[in-house]
């Protein structure tokens, strides 16, 4: 089953993002034009962009420059086309005797979303702008008639140039926008692996399960403890070590590797919360399902988290993978880390959403785990005591010789 499920999850999202692209949000800024230019050309270009973009793949929204800056800051758009204020005035120089000044239309990209998102913006807007160039050039040639020089006719084949640039350049050591993904991934793995280590270690500490170290096996005298008590103890251990683990993770990332972090406290708190939320969910699955919980946890916290498109825009995922974003831990954590590293720790950029999702996930996981443990404790047949007796009258267990 894993040989079928894992490649289906991983490869479906990354194989062809363009084919699955739906409603990628992009801005269109038509700056008020300076006087003395080719009247109506800027509006004609804007209309050409709106009508030329595939409405199923690109969601073009007209906005002001101020609105564009705010939406970039809140990580709400992947890119924007900016028609400058001197567009019409520069165009008029192409058909006059003045020095030719070709206007520049800028495509601004959201570098914080990663290189794949930037590629989708450029790849989808490029053909639209090329078609708009040809349409505008034909219009200008028709308006000028036969009075154009050969040089002017040549220039009007591409009456404006297109410049692509990030709205806010990423700092150094940002991995082309992938640093948040790896930080989020490591935090999730620490929570998952840490909880998977705490679970058998505490069971061995109370004598419920043997402790093995290579060929050596030992078992402590059994101390009866209910499932709820044991699970709460595991939660406590996890909560105690999570802040230390998060601090060490951040220390290596910032000090050893050099990842720039302008909001270290916010990042440490979010990484700590991630480790706790994932660890609580992992321990709860073990409490509910026992040994099969290892496979369930691996599939949910590792396989599905990576398959839900952390490096691919949600708008470019297949529909069934897109729906995983509502249940997996990766995307809210990634949004939160990205907001801290690239968007000034703004709540609207994904940080608030990350805290809400982590809180809901941790609370739901803890509630389900405790409910399962409580139900098992109420049934004497499901007691964790190794002997088939109720906890109240269970005889002392026979010590197992250590080897």
């Amino acid at each position: 089953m894993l040989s079928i499920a894992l490649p289906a999850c991983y490869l479906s999202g990354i194989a062809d993002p363009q084919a699955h692209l739906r409603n990628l949000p992009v801005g269109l800024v038509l700056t008020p034009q300076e006087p003395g230019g080719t009247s109506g050309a800027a509006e004609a270009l804007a209309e050409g962009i709106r009508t030329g973009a595939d409405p199923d793949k690109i969601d073009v929204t007209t906005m002001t420059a101020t609105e564009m800056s705010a939406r970039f800051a809140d990580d709400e758009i992947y890119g924007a086309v900016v028609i400058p204020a001197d567009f019409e005035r520069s165009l008029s120089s192409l058909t006059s005797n003045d020095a030719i000044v070709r206007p520049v239309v800028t495509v601004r990209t959201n570098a914080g979303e990663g290189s794949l998102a930037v590629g989708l913006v450029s790849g989808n807007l490029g053909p639209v702008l090329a078609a708009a160039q040809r349409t505008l050039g034909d219009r200008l040639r028709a308006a000028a008639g036969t009075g154009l020089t050969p040089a002017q006719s040549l220039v009007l084949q591409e009456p404006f140039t297109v410049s692509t640039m990030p709205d806010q350049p990423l700092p150094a050591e940002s991995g082309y926008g992938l640093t948040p993904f790896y930080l989020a991934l490591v935090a999730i793995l620490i929570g998952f692996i840490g909880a998977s280590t705490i679970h058998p270690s505490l069971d061995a500490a109370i004598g419920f399960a043997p402790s093995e170290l290579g060929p050596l096996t030992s078992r402590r005298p059994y101390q009866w403890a209910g499932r709820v008590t044991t699970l709460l103890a595991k939660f406590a251990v996890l909560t105690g070590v999570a802040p230390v683990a998060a601090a060490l993770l951040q220390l290596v990332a910032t000090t050893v590797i050099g990842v720039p972090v302008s909001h270290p406290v916010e990042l440490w708190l979010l990484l700590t919360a991630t480790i706790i939320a994932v660890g609580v969910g992992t321990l709860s699955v073990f409490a509910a399902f026992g040994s099969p919980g290892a496979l369930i946890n691996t599939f949910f916290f590792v396989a599905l988290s990576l398959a839900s498109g952390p490096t691919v825009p949600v708008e470019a995922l297949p529909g069934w993978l897109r729906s995983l974003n509502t249940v997996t831990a990766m995307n809210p954590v990634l949004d939160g880390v990205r907001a801290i590293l690239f968007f000034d720790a703004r709540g609207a950029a994904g940080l608030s959403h990350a805290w809400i999702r982590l809180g809901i996930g941790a609370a739901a996981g803890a509630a389900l785990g405790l409910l399962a443990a409580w139900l098992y404790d109420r049934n004497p047949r499901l007691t964790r005591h190794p002997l088939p007796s109720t906890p109240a009258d269970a005889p002392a267990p026979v010590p197992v010789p250590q080897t």
Side-chain angles (χ1 to χ4, degrees):
M1 290 298 295
L2 286 177
S3 298
I4 297 174
L6 292 182
C9 290
Y10 289 145
L11 298 180
S12 295
I14 196 64
D16 194 357
Q18 179 61 35
H20 301 125
L21 185 63
R22 295 292 182 274
N23 302 318
L24 191 75
V26 172
L28 173 60
V29 177
L30 176 55
T31 311
Q33 295 298 293
E34 299 172 356
T38 305
S39 178
E43 179 57 41
L45 173 59
E47 183 61 24
I49 294 172
R50 285 189 289 262
T51 58
D54 187 341
D56 292 330
K57 295 187 178 295
I58 302 293
D59 182 13
V60 179
T61 302
T62 303
M63 59 187 66
T64 65
T66 302
E67 292 171 337
M68 178 194 69
S69 298
R71 295 198 183 189
F72 269 126
D74 289 340
D75 197 19
E76 294 179 354
I77 55 176
Y78 289 90
V81 180
V82 180
I83 303 174
D86 64 348
F87 182 80
E88 293 182 347
R89 182 168 57 82
S90 298
L91 273 184
S92 64
S93 71
L94 304 184
T95 56
S96 68
N97 295 325
D98 298 332
I100 293 178
V101 179
R102 187 180 295 178
V104 179
V105 173
T106 304
V107 176
R108 292 185 174 271
T109 59
N110 188 344
E113 285 288 341
S115 57
L116 197 151
V118 171
L120 286 172
V121 171
S122 302
N124 283 273
L125 289 179
V128 174
L129 291 171
Q133 275 187 327
R134 292 190 295 269
T135 301
L136 182 59
D138 293 341
R139 172 184 169 180
L140 293 174
R141 280 195 297 269
T146 59
L148 294 175
T149 66
Q152 289 173 328
S153 297
L154 181 62
V155 170
L156 289 180
Q157 292 181 7
E158 293 183 358
F160 60 86
T161 59
V162 179
S163 173
T164 302
M165 60 181 294
D167 182 70
Q168 293 293 332
L170 295 179
E173 309 292 342
S174 296
Y176 296 99
L178 288 176
T179 303
F181 162 68
Y182 286 104
L183 277 173
L185 175 62
V186 172
I188 290 174
L189 289 177
I190 289 175
F192 162 68
I193 297 173
S196 299
T197 304
I198 291 171
H199 170 68
S201 298
L202 198 58
D203 284 347
I206 64 174
F208 177 77
S211 177
E212 294 181 314
L213 180 61
L216 303 178
T217 303
S218 63
R219 187 165 190 168
R220 295 188 177 187
Y222 180 70
Q223 301 176 13
W224 183 87
R227 293 175 181 269
V228 171
T229 303
T230 304
L231 183 57
L232 288 174
K234 293 174 181 178
F235 287 167
V237 174
L238 172 72
T239 304
V241 300
V244 178
L248 292 175
L249 164 59
Q250 186 167 329
L251 178 66
V252 172
T254 57
T255 304
V256 178
I257 301 175
V259 175
V261 178
S262 56
H263 300 274
V265 176
E266 288 85 347
L267 180 61
W268 173 72
L269 290 174
L270 184 66
L271 295 177
T272 300
T274 299
I275 294 172
I276 293 175
V278 172
V280 165
T282 301
L283 291 172
S284 295
V285 170
F286 277 124
F289 297 97
S291 296
L295 181 60
I296 297 172
N297 283 325
T298 300
F299 191 74
F300 182 78
F301 288 110
V302 179
L304 290 186
S305 287
L306 291 176
S308 59
T311 60
V312 180
V314 175
E315 293 82 0
L317 289 173
W320 68 277
L321 281 179
R322 206 174 301 175
S323 62
L324 289 178
N325 290 297
T326 61
V327 294
T328 59
M330 172 59 76
N331 286 84
V333 176
L334 175 58
D335 288 344
V337 175
R338 182 187 287 132
I340 292 172
L341 294 185
F342 298 152
F343 298 97
D344 199 29
R346 294 170 64 91
L351 186 56
S352 296
H353 176 248
W355 279 110
I356 293 172
R357 284 278 299 275
L358 285 174
I360 294 175
L368 292 176
L370 291 172
L371 176 61
W374 178 75
L375 291 175
Y376 296 160
D377 274 344
R378 287 175 60 85
N379 189 338
R381 295 181 179 180
L382 302 178
T383 178
R384 298 193 90 213
H385 200 289
L387 299 177
S389 306
T390 60
D393 58 2
V398 178
V400 177
Q402 297 185 358
T403 62

